[in-house]
Amino acid sequence: SYVSVISSSQRIVNMWKLLLISIFFLILTLPKLSGQCSGGAGNNLFADGDFGSGERFALANDPMLAPGYRYDPNGPPADGEYIITNDLAEWNQVYPTWLVIQDNSDDPKGYMMVVNASFEPGLFYEETIGNLCDNTLFEFSADIINMIRNDVANHLDPNVDFLIDDRVVLSTGNIPKNQRWNTFSFVFSTEPGQTSVKLSLRNNAPGGIGNDLALDNITFRACGPSSEIQSPQIINATFCQEDETLDFISLLDGIEDPSQTYVWERSDNISDINAWQLIPNENTSRITLDNPQEGTFWIRFASAGSAVNIQNINCRFYSTPINVVVPQRIFEVSDTLCGGTMIPFGDGGLAQPGLYIQNLISNVGCDSIVMIHLDTIARATIDARLQKTDPLCFEQPSGEILGINVSGGYPPYHIVINANDYPALTATQLYAGTYDVTINDRYNCFFNDQITLDEAPELVIDIGGDQPLILGEELRLELNSNLPLSEILWSDNLSEYDGQRDINFLPIRDMAVSVTGLTSDGCEAEDSIRVTLDTEAHIYTPNVFSPNGDQINDQYYITAFGRSLDYIDTFEIYDRWGNLVWNITESPDGQWDGSYSDPTSMSSGVYVYTLEAVLINGDRIRKTGSIQVIR
């Protein structure tokens, strides 16, 4: 019996061992997965992963991308159909529950894939990539957006599986109605001997009500460790030519690894992926460029899992490009100078013919050589007159100085105002003030004078001070100005009074009032005040009247301060026993003649009233009291 128990237990242990071994070998046969590629990345092997671009709102012909789906070139696609389009707003109609979007790029003509899911789950995208390397890390990613608006209820959300060689490697779960593109990605390693993969996207939810999506920016590329370039001579991306050689060091995960094989590339146009050119005979972790020429260019390196793999461009991952700026070192100019004049150079100036060389340090810290070949001509006399236009408005730059009747010297001429050079003989946008004016010819022979632009009078307008008012009190404003006005503009809440100097209106709340005045020359001034209202109710209800037909105090009226009363909502009169003897609704003043219909039918006495009045600002006032009727 004891032996039997041991034997049975051993069989159970052996079964668990066999199960664990099976699971282990199953795991080995699955793609090796992780998250997003966080290191150096290769070129996208899906040349059309962004679906391209075009002038037509949709591709006219089926690109054969979705197995089992029909292609609709016009939109909107029905269940089980898809379209390659660049803008849903260009369609004749769009489902009312759908977002009206463009593709996920900066290209207004860029295409995306819009899918209306089939009634049955299934593949809606499939592509096979060949010419790959085994034992190499790759990243697969795509942007997906739920096409249903976020305010639409009772619609299914898309749910997508990413598959490699028909095996699920990533599930998105339900993609929320968040009205934005969502990026899904994973990294996997090809198996020994594997040189191609089939990449598929499968819809897991049924079509019908919802489950509609758009797809863009499908990416499949090699992935490697973080890849950066270090250069000891480059400071703030600038390399000085006097250093003569420029060194670059490759770093993988922050460390130089000479055991790897590398390819180095250079590009003069970072925005063009096809502009990268191979740097010949450079395949180690370090390279040196001798005597780089002035200009701007970019450097990067590529690496791969092995010396064999790097020969396959599909298996390379690239470093972050480093920008190199080589500034101009030698500046050489020729100039001719009017005799007797001087041009600044270095710490002094130049007046005599000759070759002048100055060694300087540029603003980026590099050596600069300035060479000037200077010649002189005989000094010539320039005659001219100055004509001015004073500024039209106070403290505004609208003045002009014009050189006229200019002759002599060596044309063309230009004018210099307070060391500011103007390309012709007119200096514009000048403030009032005194200016030193020089008219130069092509060789800096000159005419010099001084001229003053007079200040324009300041436009001043006034509508008084701040106004404390009682609700119902009218406000009268009068605009005064020291100059004639061609236009008067009141603030937006009073725009109906534009053009009027004197306005009269009834404020119903605290408010700011501003007015702008403009002259015919376009000069502008503004004034403003603050209006504050005392909104305490001032409702007046008489406590006695005599409706006896003698035409004296025969009617009862409710009044209020100024025009603060909008209307009487309800006014009710009760006798001493609580009986309602009279009432009125929505009355302008609650007028009562002391009876139902006959002014003499009510007996003298004291009556009680209740009142609800509405003010012009919307406030409601409730009031009770007594009224004595005298016959």
Side-chain angles (χ1 to χ4, degrees):
S1 174
Y2 175 75
V3 173
S4 175
V5 169
I6 293 294
S7 177
S8 176
S9 299
Q10 188 63 47
R11 284 196 299 271
I12 293 174
V13 170
N14 291 339
M15 289 175 60
W16 274 108
K17 287 183 178 180
L18 181 61
L19 179 59
L20 291 174
I21 292 172
S22 300
I23 292 174
F24 175 75
F25 279 104
L26 178 61
I27 292 174
L28 287 179
T29 62
L30 289 174
K32 301 171 182 60
L33 301 177
S34 64
Q36 189 175 11
C37 181
S38 58
N43 295 326
N44 186 10
L45 304 187
F46 279 154
D48 297 321
D50 61 357
F51 301 102
S53 64
E55 292 297 323
R56 191 179 187 273
F57 70 90
L59 288 181
N61 299 314
D62 186 357
M64 309 297 292
L65 294 176
Y69 275 72
R70 300 177 302 275
Y71 185 73
D72 177 2
N74 298 307
D79 289 306
E81 295 182 346
Y82 77 104
I83 182 174
I84 306 298
T85 183
N86 56 26
D87 190 351
L88 271 69
E90 297 292 327
W91 297 1
N92 289 331
Q93 63 167 325
V94 179
Y95 297 122
T97 58
W98 277 22
L99 302 173
V100 180
I101 60 171
Q102 293 180 295
D103 84 323
N104 190 26
S105 77
D106 295 329
D107 183 358
K109 300 297 183 181
Y111 286 135
M112 60 186 163
M113 180 180 185
V114 178
V115 181
N116 192 332
S118 295
F119 286 102
E120 296 297 330
L123 298 178
F124 63 90
Y125 183 88
E126 190 167 83
E127 186 92 12
T128 297
I129 302 294
N131 192 27
L132 301 180
C133 301
D134 63 357
N135 295 315
T136 299
L137 207 62
F138 290 94
E139 179 192 41
F140 182 33
S141 70
D143 296 340
I144 303 177
I145 186 172
N146 187 331
M147 288 296 297
I148 306 301
R149 300 196 326 267
N150 60 6
D151 59 343
V152 175
N154 302 319
H155 278 58
L156 293 174
D157 294 324
N159 186 307
V160 177
D161 280 345
F162 287 64
L163 297 89
I164 295 179
D165 296 330
D166 300 324
R167 287 179 294 187
V168 176
V169 294
L170 175 68
S171 293
T172 66
N174 289 343
I175 300 174
K177 292 188 282 287
N178 55 11
Q179 301 194 176
R180 63 179 178 84
W181 290 91
N182 305 273
T183 299
F184 299 94
S185 65
F186 61 88
V187 174
F188 73 100
S189 178
T190 51
E191 299 297 326
Q194 183 179 9
T195 59
S196 69
V197 295
K198 182 172 67 173
L199 305 172
S200 310
L201 296 177
R202 182 176 67 196
N203 161 45
N204 292 322
I209 307 301
N211 190 21
D212 305 312
L213 60 89
L215 178 69
D216 202 4
N217 299 327
I218 303 173
T219 301
F220 182 75
R221 58 187 182 178
C223 177
S226 65
S227 308
E228 298 175 326
I229 298 175
Q230 185 181 75
S231 178
Q233 297 101 329
I234 293 181
I235 300 175
N236 297 328
T238 299
F239 167 74
C240 299
Q241 288 190 52
E242 62 265 23
D243 291 338
E244 296 183 352
T245 61
L246 181 55
D247 298 322
F248 299 99
I249 305 171
S250 64
L251 300 177
L252 298 178
D253 279 337
I255 300 173
E256 182 182 4
D257 186 356
S259 66
Q260 292 290 329
T261 303
Y262 301 89
V263 171
W264 290 86
E265 296 178 342
R266 169 177 171 154
S267 173
D268 295 325
N269 183 2
I270 190 67
S271 61
D272 183 2
I273 192 173
N274 298 313
W276 288 98
Q277 300 294 322
L278 180 69
I279 300 177
N281 304 318
E282 297 289 354
N283 56 10
T284 63
S285 61
R286 298 189 177 203
I287 66 168
T288 298
L289 299 183
D290 296 325
N291 299 314
Q293 300 300 306
E294 63 187 53
T296 297
F297 59 94
W298 285 262
I299 290 287
R300 72 177 183 182
F301 70 84
S303 189
S306 68
V308 174
N309 287 357
I310 203 169
Q311 302 304 316
N312 186 339
I313 194 171
N314 291 347
C315 306
R316 297 175 183 173
F317 58 86
Y318 294 93
S319 66
T320 302
I322 184 172
N323 181 216
V324 181
V325 178
V326 183
Q328 182 179 351
R329 187 183 186 193
I330 300 176
F331 299 84
E332 186 172 5
V333 296
S334 297
D335 201 0
T336 301
L337 189 63
C338 186
T341 61
M342 179 180 294
I343 61 173
F345 188 68
D347 296 330
L350 304 180
Q352 301 299 321
L355 172 63
Y356 299 90
I357 300 176
Q358 181 81 31
N359 290 317
L360 304 172
I361 300 296
S362 70
N363 58 357
V364 293
C366 296
D367 288 346
S368 294
I369 301 173
V370 179
M371 304 173 63
I372 296 181
H373 299 269
L374 185 63
D375 198 0
T376 61
I377 62 169
R379 183 179 180 84
T381 300
I382 297 177
D383 294 320
R385 287 181 51 230
L386 298 180
Q387 179 176 292
K388 71 169 184 173
T389 301
D390 293 322
L392 297 174
C393 301
F394 181 74
E395 294 186 346
Q396 293 298 313
S398 58
E400 294 185 357
I401 297 176
L402 173 65
I404 62 174
N405 300 332
V406 183
S407 62
Y410 307 93
Y413 309 104
H414 63 278
I415 196 168
V416 180
I417 306 289
N418 286 7
N420 293 317
D421 203 336
Y422 294 83
L425 286 173
T426 302
T428 61
Q429 298 182 335
L430 301 176
Y431 288 93
T434 299
Y435 292 90
D436 291 321
V437 181
T438 301
I439 295 178
N440 290 336
D441 68 5
R442 72 170 67 184
Y443 300 124
N444 284 339
C445 296
F446 64 90
F447 162 88
N448 184 258
D449 200 356
Q450 193 175 76
I451 195 168
T452 298
L453 300 183
D454 298 323
E455 185 64 273
E458 181 180 8
L459 173 63
V460 179
I461 65 174
D462 179 60
I463 55 173
D466 291 345
Q467 297 287 334
L469 301 176
I470 299 174
L471 183 67
E473 185 178 359
E474 292 186 348
L475 176 61
R476 181 178 183 274
L477 295 177
E478 180 181 358
L479 185 151
N480 295 297
S481 65
N482 65 330
L483 297 176
L485 299 178
S486 62
E487 194 171 0
I488 298 173
L489 302 173
W490 293 91
S491 46
D492 291 343
N493 51 358
L494 298 172
S495 59
E496 61 191 278
Y497 299 107
D498 285 352
Q500 301 180 32
R501 279 182 172 270
D502 300 334
I503 66 173
N504 193 46
F505 64 98
L506 183 65
I508 62 173
R509 61 182 61 87
D510 291 352
M511 63 186 301
V513 177
S514 65
V515 63
T516 301
L518 295 95
T519 68
S520 58
D521 291 326
C523 305
E524 181 178 317
E526 182 179 336
D527 191 27
S528 62
I529 63 170
R530 185 72 186 174
V531 178
T532 55
L533 286 183
D534 176 2
T535 58
E536 183 179 355
H538 298 277
I539 302 294
Y540 304 112
T541 52
N543 59 4
V544 62
F545 82 120
S546 56
N548 55 12
D550 63 358
Q551 306 303 314
I552 300 174
N553 200 23
D554 281 342
Q555 300 291 328
Y556 184 90
Y557 297 96
I558 298 169
T559 58
F561 175 81
R563 294 167 53 193
S564 61
L565 179 61
D566 190 5
Y567 65 94
I568 303 299
D569 191 25
T570 60
F571 183 38
E572 298 175 338
I573 308 294
Y574 297 87
D575 62 19
R576 69 182 64 185
W577 295 281
N579 298 312
L580 178 65
V581 298
W582 186 85
N583 76 298
I584 191 172
T585 60
E586 296 188 1
S587 167
D589 55 12
Q591 181 178 343
W592 180 42
D593 62 5
S595 69
Y596 288 104
S597 59
D598 182 358
T600 63
S601 64
M602 296 290 294
S603 60
S604 298
V606 178
Y607 294 83
V608 177
Y609 71 84
T610 64
L611 165 70
E612 184 168 337
V614 180
L615 304 181
I616 57 174
N617 65 351
D619 288 352
R620 289 181 172 268
I621 305 300
R622 293 172 178 82
K623 189 174 182 180
T624 60
S626 62
I627 304 171
Q628 184 174 3
V629 178
I630 301 175
R631 296 295 185 183

